[in-house]
């Protein structure tokens, strides 16, 4: 197994991802969409996310997908292709994009599950291509330093970290 | 997996508290949650049994401020320490940037600590993470109890590489932030090497 490389996202990547997510959100007539890294961190979102507590949503979605994957393996399946939660007013559709990311689609009363599923399938392929490109890209600081959209973080000292925590 | 978002100028890191059952992992997160300013933390989510044992994980997102203009977030997780939740422990380690190994200092827990550390190394490997390279700090917890193993014995058993270690009484908040700061520092140093 290849170790999972760290994910680095630049301005131009995010606009591509955002465009893709927005299109999916519209075409699937879903309320909101979150793109989540499999370790539980939110990468991008589209739609009505204002009222959503996206950080724990992302973490719990990743936990849920991870548990589903482990259940699948116990049963001799490669994976379950999606996880679906069916509430009274809200429904959640979780699916994997390759092995890197999770797509969380929030459906409301106006969304049709079949349409969502169809569109998710279509867009997952496109997203997977983007991620494949991202992960192939050499991730060296030297290369990134020249471009204004790729500013180097610079040297992080222990004092920087100490300052984050304040005096406490 | 650290996630640097240059577009939003954010750095995200995943830190996992690992250790045997009842060693005090959840207590660490509860203390951090209590002490951090409301604006700098999200909800503490605990997926726990009715008896308050961790069932899947605890999750606490911290957004403490910026480093060089980058919003720096730490996502803290605990694993369930009970032996039979092994499958869940492995899942939580996925994409971890740093681990705090919380040891229970009580004499009768020596074996459990050693077992848990071995189990952690195995699971890290399974997740494609090199257990000798991932940032790791140790916390010797429950130092307030009368029947504790001396530190040098714990060091010999659990910390042959002499990684940063801290004595703690998590239930009183002692040593909790020292441990967190230490793992944050090692993780940020490591991150810098990669960018
Ligand atoms: N005396 C003492 N008790 C502690 C200390 N830290 C935690 N405890 C107690 O130990 C018990 C277990 O603590 P938890 O934080 O729930 O342990 P855990 O590691 O999360 O356990 P699991 O979720 O089962 O893996 C609780 O009753 C805590 O109050 C300590 O430093 N000293
Ligand atoms: Mg716990």
């Amino acid at each position: 197994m290849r170790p999972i490389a760290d994910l680095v996202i630049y301005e131009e990547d995010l606009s591509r991802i955002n465009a893709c997510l927005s299109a999916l959100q519209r075409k699937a007539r879903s309320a909101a969409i979150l793109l989540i890294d499999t370790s539980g961190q939110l990468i991008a979102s589209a739609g009505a996310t204002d009222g959503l507590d996206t950080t724990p949503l992302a973490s719990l979605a990743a936990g849920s997908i991870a548990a589903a994957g482990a259940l699948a393996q116990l049963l001799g399946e490669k994976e379950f292709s999606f996880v679906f939660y069916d509430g009274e007013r809200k429904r959640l559709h979780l699916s994997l994009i390759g092995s890197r990311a999770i797509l969380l689609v929030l459906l409301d009363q106006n969304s049709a599950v079949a349409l969502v599923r169809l569109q998710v399938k279509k867009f997952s392929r496109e997203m997977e291509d983007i991620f494949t490109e991202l992960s192939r890209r050499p991730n060296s600081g030297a290369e990134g330093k020249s471009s204004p959209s790729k500013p180097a973080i610079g040297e992080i000292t222990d004092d920087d970290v100490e300052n984050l925590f304040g005096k406490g | 997996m650290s996630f640097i978002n240059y577009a939003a100028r954010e750095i995200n890191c995943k830190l996992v508290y690992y250790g045997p059952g009842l060693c005090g992992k959840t207590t660490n997160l509860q203390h951090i949650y209590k002490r951090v300013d409301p604006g700098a933390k999200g909800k503490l989510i605990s997926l726990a049994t009715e008896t308050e044992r961790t069932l899947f994980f605890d999750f606490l997102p911290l957004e403490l401020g910026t480093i060089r203009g980058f919003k720096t977030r730490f996502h803290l997780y605990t694993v369930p320490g009970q032996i039979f939740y092994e499958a869940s422990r492995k899942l939580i380690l996925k994409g971890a940037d740093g681990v705090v190994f919380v040891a229970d200092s009580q004499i009768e827990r020596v074996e459990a600590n050693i077992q848990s550390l071995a189990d952690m190394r195995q699971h890290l490997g399974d997740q494609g993470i090199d257990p000798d390279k991932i940032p790791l700090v140790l916390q010797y917890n429950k130092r307030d109890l009368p029947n504790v193993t001396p530190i040098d014995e714990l060091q010999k058993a659990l910390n042959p590489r002499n990684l940063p270690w801290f004595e703690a009484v998590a239930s009183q908040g002692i040593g909790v932030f020292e441990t967190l700061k230490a793992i944050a520092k090692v993780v940020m140093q490591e991150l810098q090497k990669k960018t």
Side-chain angles (χ1 to χ4, degrees), chain A residues 15-62:
Chain A
S15 15
R16 270 177 82 191
I17 291 170
N18 280 336
C20 195
L21 284 188
S22 302
L24 170 58
Q25 189 256 324
R26 265 182 287 111
K27 289 198 177 160
R29 286 194 226 118
S30 63
I33 300 213
L34 306 184
L35 181 68
I36 302 157
D37 155 71
T38 44
S39 71
Q41 327 210 36
L42 182 68
I43 300 169
S45 63
T49 54
D50 276 355
L52 297 178
D53 201 348
T54 53
T55 305
L57 267 175
S59 162
L60 290 170

Side-chain angles (χ1 to χ4, degrees), chain B residues 21-27 53-54 80-81 141-142 144-145 169-171:
Chain B
L22 295 177
C23 68
K25 301 173 291 294
T26 299
T27 309
R53 303 295 300 269
T54 303
N141 192 32
K142 305 202 180 181
D144 59 319
L145 294 176
V169 186
S171 49

Side-chain angles (χ1 to χ4, degrees), chain A residues 3 5 10 12 19 33 39-40 42 49 52 54 60 62-63 65 77 81 93 107 113 117 120 132 146 149 155 160 167:
Chain A
Y10 297 117
E12 51 270 31
I33 300 213
S39 71
L42 182 68
T49 54
L52 297 178
T54 53
L60 290 170
I65 277 280
E77 283 287 317
S81 50
H93 186 282
L107 293 76
V113 181
R117 198 151 297 156
V120 161
T132 309
S146 51
S149 69
E155 197 178 330
D160 288 327
K167 304 254 152 10

